[in-house]
Amino acid sequence: EAGVTQFPSHSVIEKGQTVTLRCDPISGHDNLYWYRRVMGKEIKFLLHFVKESKQDESGMPNNRFLAERTGGTYSTLKVQPAELEDSGVYFCASSQGASRGIQYFGAGTRLSVL
Amino acid sequence: EDQVTQSPEALRLQEGESSSLNCSYTVSGLRGLFWYRQDPGKGPEFLFTLYSAGEEKEKERLKATLTKKESFLHITAPKPEDSATYLCAVQGYLSQAGTALIFGKGTTLSVSS
């Protein structure tokens, strides 16, 4: 069974540019989460989808971040325009159940904003 | 505020030298406590989940335990392949972030032969 897949694995962009990250969850998992790890800090929650609906986006830092999950399958996270402080590793996780469900993580996308 | 603190930040062991990693947590109603292993350049890999105080889970050389305020990950006779960062995370019933995981910073374990 395929795990959670994220593209690209690494992205280097300049401040002010736009970047789109993609996440393909495990097939059949309705719950999809985005997290971010900034250097030296712990992994932090960004938002949670249940199928195609945003269940919780309380962790999104500002309106430069836009997440979508069309059709309840893969998800994209767009940063526009990117700022230096957006650099970090962005992880996607999926689970069957939300409450007590085991979240399985992708390998992450390392974003470097120069 | 829900919080997870892991100690130590880094731990160096000789092969065969058993030890424990600590995870202290504060959460509004614990749904579950999760242990993950993370290797460099990879995402967190699920190890265990514990739901109530007194619960224990084992897998090979690893054993996780849970009390009302902390969890321990015991490593018995570690091998070099156990070297990784171990992450602890909690999920709370009344957390601001709903069912999202709240992570600690992790403990980086190095096992030398």
Side-chain angles (χ1 to χ4, degrees):
Chain A
E1 181 183 304
V4 177
T5 308
Q6 293 188 243
F7 304 98
S9 58
H10 192 185
S11 180
V12 182
I13 61 172
E14 294 192 352
K15 176 183 171 181
Q17 290 186 322
T18 297
V19 63
T20 300
L21 314 181
R22 172 170 169 147
C23 169
D24 287 71
I26 293 172
S27 178
H29 282 193
D30 288 339
N31 294 275
L32 187 150
Y33 300 81
W34 282 97
Y35 294 86
R36 177 174 72 173
R37 184 167 196 164
V38 173
M39 189 177 294
K41 303 268 188 175
E42 66 273 23
I43 296 172
K44 285 195 172 179
F45 166 71
L46 295 177
L47 87 158
H48 171 205
F49 283 100
V50 177
K51 296 184 180 179
E52 67 275 6
S53 300
K54 291 177 186 175
Q55 180 74 18
D56 186 338
E57 51 184 334
S58 61
M60 294 287 261
N62 51 60
N63 60 10
R64 295 185 294 103
F65 289 75
L66 176 65
E68 293 180 329
R69 191 181 182 194
T70 306
T73 55
Y74 71 91
S75 174
T76 57
L77 180 63
K78 181 190 287 188
V79 185
Q80 179 182 29
E83 298 289 345
L84 299 178
E85 63 265 25
D86 300 332
S87 296
V89 183
Y90 289 77
F91 293 105
C92 174
S94 71
S95 68
Q96 278 193 316
S99 179
R100 295 184 159 192
I102 298 169
Q103 294 182 26
Y104 296 93
F105 283 76
T109 294
R110 180 174 295 278
L111 176 63
S112 301
V113 183
L114 306 178
Chain B
E1 183 182 341
D2 298 337
Q3 196 169 0
V4 175
T5 303
Q6 292 187 246
S7 62
E9 288 186 14
L11 181 63
R12 302 181 74 89
L13 299 174
Q14 290 289 319
E15 185 172 4
E17 180 186 2
S18 301
S19 188
S20 297
L21 282 53
N22 177 262
C23 171
S24 297
Y25 64 91
T26 304
V27 67
S28 307
L30 181 70
R31 282 189 210 242
L33 184 140
F34 300 80
W35 282 98
Y36 287 84
R37 168 191 171 128
Q38 186 174 21
D39 292 295
K42 296 190 177 181
E45 175 189 348
F46 172 74
L47 292 174
F48 303 108
T49 182
L50 303 165
Y51 297 115
S52 57
E55 192 174 356
E56 299 182 350
K57 294 269 180 76
E58 281 190 72
K59 180 181 179 181
E60 295 180 354
R61 295 176 293 283
L62 300 177
K63 179 180 177 180
T65 62
L66 180 65
T67 72
K68 288 187 177 180
K69 292 188 176 183
E70 58 191 351
S71 176
F72 291 93
L73 185 64
H74 306 278
I75 303 176
T76 302
K79 297 183 177 182
E81 53 262 42
D82 294 323
S83 298
T85 295
Y86 291 85
L87 299 169
C88 174
V90 297
Q91 191 185 55
Y93 279 107
L94 301 176
S95 292
Q96 269 191 313
T99 58
L101 296 176
I102 300 161
F103 280 89
K105 289 186 176 181
T107 293
T108 300
L109 173 66
S110 300
V111 182
S112 54
S113 56

Short mmCIF file of all heavy atoms in Angstrom, two decimals, chain A residues 31 33 35 37 40-45 48 56 58 91 98-108 110, chain B residues 30-32 34 36 38 41-44 46 49 51 87 91 93 96-101 103-106:
data_model
loop_
_atom_site.label_atom_id
_atom_site.label_comp_id
_atom_site.label_asym_id
_atom_site.label_seq_id
_atom_site.Cartn_x
_atom_site.Cartn_y
_atom_site.Cartn_z
N ASN A 31 -9.16 12.02 6.35
CA ASN A 31 -8.55 13.11 7.10
C ASN A 31 -7.15 13.41 6.57
O ASN A 31 -6.33 12.50 6.41
CB ASN A 31 -8.45 12.76 8.58
CG ASN A 31 -9.82 12.63 9.21
OD1 ASN A 31 -10.40 13.62 9.63
ND2 ASN A 31 -10.35 11.42 9.23
N TYR A 33 -3.96 16.29 7.09
CA TYR A 33 -3.42 17.37 7.92
C TYR A 33 -2.16 17.93 7.26
O TYR A 33 -1.38 17.19 6.68
CB TYR A 33 -3.03 16.85 9.31
CG TYR A 33 -4.15 16.24 10.12
CD1 TYR A 33 -4.55 14.93 9.90
CD2 TYR A 33 -4.78 16.96 11.12
CE1 TYR A 33 -5.56 14.35 10.67
CE2 TYR A 33 -5.79 16.40 11.89
CZ TYR A 33 -6.17 15.10 11.65
OH TYR A 33 -7.18 14.53 12.42
N TYR A 35 1.26 20.15 8.42
CA TYR A 35 2.07 20.62 9.54
C TYR A 35 3.31 21.30 8.97
O TYR A 35 3.67 21.12 7.81
CB TYR A 35 2.54 19.45 10.42
CG TYR A 35 1.46 18.70 11.17
CD1 TYR A 35 0.77 17.65 10.58
CD2 TYR A 35 1.16 19.03 12.49
CE1 TYR A 35 -0.20 16.94 11.28
CE2 TYR A 35 0.20 18.33 13.20
CZ TYR A 35 -0.47 17.29 12.59
OH TYR A 35 -1.43 16.59 13.29
N ARG A 37 7.51 22.44 10.20
CA ARG A 37 8.58 22.52 11.19
C ARG A 37 9.55 23.59 10.75
O ARG A 37 10.21 23.47 9.72
CB ARG A 37 9.31 21.19 11.36
CG ARG A 37 10.36 21.26 12.47
CD ARG A 37 10.88 19.91 12.87
NE ARG A 37 11.58 19.98 14.16
CZ ARG A 37 11.86 18.93 14.90
NH1 ARG A 37 11.55 17.72 14.49
NH2 ARG A 37 12.50 19.08 16.06
N GLY A 40 14.72 24.56 14.43
CA GLY A 40 14.88 24.74 15.87
C GLY A 40 13.60 24.65 16.67
O GLY A 40 13.62 24.72 17.90
N LYS A 41 12.47 24.51 15.98
CA LYS A 41 11.18 24.46 16.68
C LYS A 41 10.52 23.10 16.48
O LYS A 41 10.97 22.27 15.70
CB LYS A 41 10.26 25.55 16.12
CG LYS A 41 10.81 26.94 16.21
CD LYS A 41 10.40 27.62 17.48
CE LYS A 41 10.79 29.07 17.47
NZ LYS A 41 10.30 29.79 18.65
N GLU A 42 9.43 22.88 17.20
CA GLU A 42 8.70 21.64 17.05
C GLU A 42 7.78 21.68 15.82
O GLU A 42 7.50 22.74 15.28
CB GLU A 42 7.86 21.35 18.31
CG GLU A 42 6.73 22.33 18.56
CD GLU A 42 7.17 23.55 19.34
OE1 GLU A 42 8.38 23.89 19.35
OE2 GLU A 42 6.28 24.20 19.93
N ILE A 43 7.34 20.51 15.40
CA ILE A 43 6.36 20.41 14.31
C ILE A 43 5.05 21.03 14.79
O ILE A 43 4.56 20.70 15.88
CB ILE A 43 6.13 18.94 13.93
CG1 ILE A 43 7.43 18.33 13.36
CG2 ILE A 43 5.00 18.82 12.91
CD1 ILE A 43 7.35 16.83 13.12
N LYS A 44 4.49 21.92 13.95
CA LYS A 44 3.25 22.61 14.34
C LYS A 44 2.15 22.44 13.31
O LYS A 44 2.41 22.45 12.11
CB LYS A 44 3.52 24.09 14.58
CG LYS A 44 4.24 24.37 15.89
CD LYS A 44 4.17 25.84 16.28
CE LYS A 44 4.73 26.04 17.68
NZ LYS A 44 4.71 27.44 18.10
N PHE A 45 0.96 22.31 13.79
CA PHE A 45 -0.23 22.11 12.98
C PHE A 45 -0.56 23.35 12.16
O PHE A 45 -0.46 24.48 12.64
CB PHE A 45 -1.39 21.79 13.91
CG PHE A 45 -2.76 21.86 13.30
CD1 PHE A 45 -3.19 20.92 12.38
CD2 PHE A 45 -3.63 22.89 13.66
CE1 PHE A 45 -4.46 20.99 11.84
CE2 PHE A 45 -4.89 22.97 13.12
CZ PHE A 45 -5.32 22.01 12.20
N HIS A 48 -6.51 21.14 8.84
CA HIS A 48 -7.08 19.80 8.79
C HIS A 48 -8.25 19.77 7.81
O HIS A 48 -9.17 20.58 7.91
CB HIS A 48 -7.54 19.40 10.20
CG HIS A 48 -8.33 18.14 10.28
ND1 HIS A 48 -9.22 17.90 11.32
CD2 HIS A 48 -8.36 17.02 9.51
CE1 HIS A 48 -9.77 16.71 11.17
NE2 HIS A 48 -9.26 16.16 10.06
N ASP A 56 -10.52 22.50 10.22
CA ASP A 56 -9.86 23.38 11.18
C ASP A 56 -8.66 24.00 10.50
O ASP A 56 -7.79 23.27 10.01
CB ASP A 56 -9.42 22.56 12.41
CG ASP A 56 -8.84 23.41 13.53
OD1 ASP A 56 -8.40 24.54 13.27
OD2 ASP A 56 -8.82 22.92 14.68
N SER A 58 -7.02 26.68 12.10
CA SER A 58 -6.57 27.59 13.14
C SER A 58 -5.06 27.77 13.20
O SER A 58 -4.57 28.73 13.78
CB SER A 58 -7.07 27.11 14.51
OG SER A 58 -6.55 25.82 14.81
N PHE A 91 5.05 19.18 6.30
CA PHE A 91 4.64 17.77 6.33
C PHE A 91 3.14 17.65 6.10
O PHE A 91 2.36 18.48 6.55
CB PHE A 91 4.97 17.12 7.67
CG PHE A 91 6.44 16.97 7.95
CD1 PHE A 91 7.08 17.81 8.85
CD2 PHE A 91 7.17 15.96 7.33
CE1 PHE A 91 8.43 17.66 9.11
CE2 PHE A 91 8.52 15.81 7.59
CZ PHE A 91 9.15 16.66 8.49
N ALA A 98 -10.41 10.62 12.69
CA ALA A 98 -9.78 11.84 13.21
C ALA A 98 -9.46 11.66 14.69
O ALA A 98 -8.31 11.79 15.10
CB ALA A 98 -10.69 13.03 12.99
N SER A 99 -10.50 11.36 15.48
CA SER A 99 -10.28 11.18 16.90
C SER A 99 -9.55 9.87 17.17
O SER A 99 -10.02 8.80 16.81
CB SER A 99 -11.62 11.15 17.64
OG SER A 99 -11.43 10.95 19.01
N ARG A 100 -8.38 9.97 17.75
CA ARG A 100 -7.52 8.83 18.09
C ARG A 100 -6.95 8.12 16.86
O ARG A 100 -6.32 7.08 16.98
CB ARG A 100 -8.26 7.81 18.96
CG ARG A 100 -8.66 8.34 20.32
CD ARG A 100 -9.28 7.25 21.16
NE ARG A 100 -9.23 7.58 22.58
CZ ARG A 100 -9.50 6.71 23.56
NH1 ARG A 100 -9.81 5.47 23.26
NH2 ARG A 100 -9.43 7.07 24.82
N GLY A 101 -7.22 8.63 15.69
CA GLY A 101 -6.71 7.99 14.49
C GLY A 101 -5.21 8.16 14.35
O GLY A 101 -4.67 9.22 14.65
N ILE A 102 -4.53 7.13 13.90
CA ILE A 102 -3.09 7.21 13.69
C ILE A 102 -2.84 8.04 12.44
O ILE A 102 -3.40 7.75 11.38
CB ILE A 102 -2.48 5.82 13.54
CG1 ILE A 102 -2.70 5.01 14.83
CG2 ILE A 102 -0.99 5.92 13.21
CD1 ILE A 102 -2.37 3.55 14.68
N GLN A 103 -2.02 9.06 12.59
CA GLN A 103 -1.67 9.90 11.45
C GLN A 103 -0.36 9.40 10.84
O GLN A 103 0.65 9.26 11.53
CB GLN A 103 -1.55 11.36 11.90
CG GLN A 103 -2.89 11.92 12.36
CD GLN A 103 -2.82 13.37 12.77
OE1 GLN A 103 -1.97 14.12 12.31
NE2 GLN A 103 -3.75 13.78 13.62
N TYR A 104 -0.39 9.16 9.54
CA TYR A 104 0.77 8.69 8.80
C TYR A 104 1.33 9.86 7.99
O TYR A 104 0.57 10.52 7.26
CB TYR A 104 0.39 7.52 7.88
CG TYR A 104 -0.06 6.31 8.66
CD1 TYR A 104 -1.41 6.11 8.93
CD2 TYR A 104 0.86 5.39 9.14
CE1 TYR A 104 -1.84 5.01 9.67
CE2 TYR A 104 0.44 4.28 9.87
CZ TYR A 104 -0.91 4.11 10.14
OH TYR A 104 -1.32 3.03 10.87
N PHE A 105 2.62 10.06 8.11
CA PHE A 105 3.25 11.24 7.54
C PHE A 105 3.98 10.96 6.24
O PHE A 105 4.52 9.87 6.03
CB PHE A 105 4.25 11.83 8.54
CG PHE A 105 3.61 12.60 9.66
CD1 PHE A 105 2.99 11.93 10.71
CD2 PHE A 105 3.62 13.98 9.66
CE1 PHE A 105 2.39 12.64 11.75
CE2 PHE A 105 3.02 14.70 10.68
CZ PHE A 105 2.40 14.03 11.73
N GLY A 106 4.02 11.99 5.39
CA GLY A 106 4.86 11.97 4.23
C GLY A 106 6.28 12.39 4.60
O GLY A 106 6.55 12.76 5.75
N ALA A 107 7.16 12.35 3.60
CA ALA A 107 8.57 12.68 3.84
C ALA A 107 8.81 14.17 3.97
O ALA A 107 9.88 14.60 4.40
CB ALA A 107 9.43 12.10 2.72
N GLY A 108 7.80 14.97 3.59
CA GLY A 108 7.93 16.41 3.75
C GLY A 108 8.47 17.11 2.52
O GLY A 108 9.10 16.50 1.66
N ARG A 110 10.88 20.37 1.85
CA ARG A 110 11.75 21.40 2.45
C ARG A 110 11.68 22.65 1.61
O ARG A 110 12.06 22.64 0.43
CB ARG A 110 13.19 20.90 2.54
CG ARG A 110 14.15 21.91 3.16
CD ARG A 110 15.54 21.33 3.37
NE ARG A 110 15.52 20.25 4.34
CZ ARG A 110 15.54 20.41 5.65
NH1 ARG A 110 15.61 21.63 6.17
NH2 ARG A 110 15.54 19.36 6.45
N LEU B 30 -6.87 14.04 27.56
CA LEU B 30 -6.01 13.30 26.62
C LEU B 30 -6.83 12.32 25.78
O LEU B 30 -7.48 11.42 26.30
CB LEU B 30 -4.93 12.54 27.40
CG LEU B 30 -3.95 11.74 26.54
CD1 LEU B 30 -3.02 12.68 25.77
CD2 LEU B 30 -3.12 10.79 27.41
N ARG B 31 -6.78 12.51 24.46
CA ARG B 31 -7.36 11.51 23.56
C ARG B 31 -6.36 10.39 23.37
O ARG B 31 -6.70 9.21 23.41
CB ARG B 31 -7.64 12.09 22.18
CG ARG B 31 -8.86 12.94 22.03
CD ARG B 31 -9.08 13.25 20.57
NE ARG B 31 -9.72 14.51 20.36
CZ ARG B 31 -10.92 14.64 19.79
NH1 ARG B 31 -11.59 13.58 19.39
NH2 ARG B 31 -11.44 15.84 19.63
N GLY B 32 -5.11 10.78 23.11
CA GLY B 32 -4.07 9.80 22.86
C GLY B 32 -2.70 10.43 22.87
O GLY B 32 -2.55 11.63 22.65
N PHE B 34 1.17 9.78 21.24
CA PHE B 34 1.77 9.08 20.11
C PHE B 34 3.28 9.22 20.15
O PHE B 34 3.81 10.30 20.40
CB PHE B 34 1.25 9.68 18.79
CG PHE B 34 -0.24 9.59 18.63
CD1 PHE B 34 -1.08 10.49 19.27
CD2 PHE B 34 -0.81 8.61 17.84
CE1 PHE B 34 -2.45 10.42 19.13
CE2 PHE B 34 -2.18 8.52 17.68
CZ PHE B 34 -3.00 9.43 18.33
N TYR B 36 6.62 8.74 17.67
CA TYR B 36 7.08 8.59 16.29
C TYR B 36 8.60 8.54 16.28
O TYR B 36 9.26 9.11 17.15
CB TYR B 36 6.64 9.77 15.42
CG TYR B 36 5.18 9.81 15.07
CD1 TYR B 36 4.24 10.36 15.94
CD2 TYR B 36 4.72 9.32 13.84
CE1 TYR B 36 2.90 10.41 15.60
CE2 TYR B 36 3.39 9.36 13.49
CZ TYR B 36 2.47 9.92 14.37
OH TYR B 36 1.15 9.96 14.04
N GLN B 38 11.82 9.55 13.68
CA GLN B 38 12.12 10.29 12.46
C GLN B 38 13.59 10.15 12.12
O GLN B 38 14.46 10.49 12.92
CB GLN B 38 11.74 11.77 12.59
CG GLN B 38 11.90 12.53 11.29
CD GLN B 38 11.39 13.95 11.37
OE1 GLN B 38 11.25 14.54 12.44
NE2 GLN B 38 11.08 14.54 10.23
N GLY B 41 15.88 13.50 6.86
CA GLY B 41 15.33 13.62 5.52
C GLY B 41 14.03 12.86 5.30
O GLY B 41 13.52 12.82 4.18
N LYS B 42 13.49 12.28 6.35
CA LYS B 42 12.25 11.52 6.21
C LYS B 42 11.17 12.09 7.13
O LYS B 42 11.45 12.91 8.00
CB LYS B 42 12.48 10.04 6.54
CG LYS B 42 13.44 9.36 5.58
CD LYS B 42 13.46 7.87 5.79
CE LYS B 42 14.35 7.18 4.78
NZ LYS B 42 14.35 5.71 4.95
N GLY B 43 9.94 11.63 6.91
CA GLY B 43 8.85 12.07 7.77
C GLY B 43 8.75 11.21 9.02
O GLY B 43 9.36 10.13 9.09
N PRO B 44 8.01 11.67 10.01
CA PRO B 44 7.81 10.88 11.22
C PRO B 44 7.16 9.53 10.90
O PRO B 44 6.19 9.47 10.13
CB PRO B 44 6.88 11.76 12.07
CG PRO B 44 7.13 13.15 11.58
CD PRO B 44 7.38 13.00 10.12
N PHE B 46 5.27 6.26 12.52
CA PHE B 46 4.51 5.89 13.70
C PHE B 46 5.11 4.68 14.42
O PHE B 46 5.49 3.68 13.80
CB PHE B 46 3.06 5.57 13.31
CG PHE B 46 2.24 4.98 14.42
CD1 PHE B 46 1.79 5.78 15.46
CD2 PHE B 46 1.93 3.63 14.44
CE1 PHE B 46 1.05 5.25 16.49
CE2 PHE B 46 1.18 3.08 15.47
CZ PHE B 46 0.75 3.90 16.50
N THR B 49 0.80 4.19 20.03
CA THR B 49 -0.16 5.11 20.59
C THR B 49 -0.67 4.56 21.92
O THR B 49 -0.88 3.36 22.05
CB THR B 49 -1.33 5.38 19.63
OG1 THR B 49 -2.21 6.32 20.21
CG2 THR B 49 -2.10 4.12 19.31
N TYR B 51 -3.48 5.40 25.21
CA TYR B 51 -4.71 6.15 25.42
C TYR B 51 -5.03 6.42 26.88
O TYR B 51 -5.76 7.38 27.17
CB TYR B 51 -5.88 5.41 24.79
CG TYR B 51 -5.77 5.27 23.29
CD1 TYR B 51 -5.64 4.03 22.69
CD2 TYR B 51 -5.77 6.40 22.46
CE1 TYR B 51 -5.52 3.91 21.31
CE2 TYR B 51 -5.65 6.29 21.09
CZ TYR B 51 -5.54 5.04 20.52
OH TYR B 51 -5.43 4.93 19.16
N LEU B 87 9.99 11.41 18.48
CA LEU B 87 9.04 12.48 18.71
C LEU B 87 7.85 11.99 19.51
O LEU B 87 7.35 10.89 19.28
CB LEU B 87 8.52 13.02 17.37
CG LEU B 87 9.56 13.63 16.42
CD1 LEU B 87 8.95 13.86 15.05
CD2 LEU B 87 10.10 14.92 16.98
N GLN B 91 -2.81 14.32 21.54
CA GLN B 91 -4.06 14.76 20.91
C GLN B 91 -5.04 14.93 22.05
O GLN B 91 -5.24 14.01 22.86
CB GLN B 91 -4.54 13.69 19.93
CG GLN B 91 -5.67 14.09 19.03
CD GLN B 91 -6.15 12.92 18.18
OE1 GLN B 91 -6.50 11.86 18.70
NE2 GLN B 91 -6.17 13.10 16.87
N TYR B 93 -8.90 16.30 23.79
CA TYR B 93 -10.33 16.45 23.50
C TYR B 93 -10.73 17.91 23.38
O TYR B 93 -11.62 18.24 22.59
CB TYR B 93 -11.16 15.79 24.61
CG TYR B 93 -11.30 14.30 24.45
CD1 TYR B 93 -10.62 13.43 25.29
CD2 TYR B 93 -12.12 13.76 23.47
CE1 TYR B 93 -10.74 12.07 25.16
CE2 TYR B 93 -12.23 12.39 23.31
CZ TYR B 93 -11.55 11.55 24.17
OH TYR B 93 -11.66 10.19 24.01
N GLN B 96 -7.28 23.44 21.11
CA GLN B 96 -7.66 24.47 20.14
C GLN B 96 -7.57 23.93 18.73
O GLN B 96 -8.34 24.33 17.85
CB GLN B 96 -6.71 25.67 20.28
CG GLN B 96 -7.20 26.72 21.23
CD GLN B 96 -6.38 27.99 21.13
OE1 GLN B 96 -5.16 27.94 21.11
NE2 GLN B 96 -7.05 29.11 21.06
N ALA B 97 -6.62 23.05 18.49
CA ALA B 97 -6.39 22.54 17.14
C ALA B 97 -7.19 21.27 16.85
O ALA B 97 -6.83 20.53 15.96
CB ALA B 97 -4.90 22.28 16.94
N GLY B 98 -8.23 21.03 17.59
CA GLY B 98 -9.09 19.88 17.31
C GLY B 98 -8.37 18.57 17.44
O GLY B 98 -7.84 18.25 18.49
N THR B 99 -8.31 17.78 16.36
CA THR B 99 -7.68 16.46 16.41
C THR B 99 -6.24 16.48 15.92
O THR B 99 -5.64 15.43 15.71
CB THR B 99 -8.49 15.45 15.58
OG1 THR B 99 -8.55 15.93 14.23
CG2 THR B 99 -9.89 15.27 16.14
N ALA B 100 -5.69 17.66 15.73
CA ALA B 100 -4.29 17.75 15.30
C ALA B 100 -3.37 17.29 16.42
O ALA B 100 -3.73 17.31 17.60
CB ALA B 100 -3.96 19.18 14.91
N LEU B 101 -2.18 16.88 16.05
CA LEU B 101 -1.19 16.45 17.03
C LEU B 101 -0.39 17.65 17.51
O LEU B 101 -0.05 18.53 16.73
CB LEU B 101 -0.25 15.42 16.41
CG LEU B 101 -0.89 14.11 15.99
CD1 LEU B 101 0.14 13.21 15.31
CD2 LEU B 101 -1.51 13.39 17.17
N PHE B 103 3.16 18.42 19.08
CA PHE B 103 4.44 17.74 19.16
C PHE B 103 5.39 18.38 20.16
O PHE B 103 5.35 19.59 20.41
CB PHE B 103 5.14 17.78 17.80
CG PHE B 103 4.65 16.75 16.83
CD1 PHE B 103 3.60 17.04 15.98
CD2 PHE B 103 5.25 15.50 16.75
CE1 PHE B 103 3.14 16.09 15.07
CE2 PHE B 103 4.82 14.56 15.85
CZ PHE B 103 3.75 14.85 15.01
N GLY B 104 6.29 17.55 20.71
CA GLY B 104 7.47 18.05 21.40
C GLY B 104 8.58 18.25 20.38
O GLY B 104 8.43 17.91 19.20
N LYS B 105 9.72 18.77 20.86
CA LYS B 105 10.83 19.03 19.94
C LYS B 105 11.61 17.77 19.58
O LYS B 105 12.36 17.78 18.61
CB LYS B 105 11.78 20.06 20.54
CG LYS B 105 11.21 21.47 20.57
CD LYS B 105 12.26 22.47 21.04
CE LYS B 105 11.71 23.89 20.98
NZ LYS B 105 12.72 24.89 21.41
N GLY B 106 11.43 16.72 20.37
CA GLY B 106 12.09 15.46 20.05
C GLY B 106 13.35 15.22 20.85
O GLY B 106 13.96 16.15 21.41
#
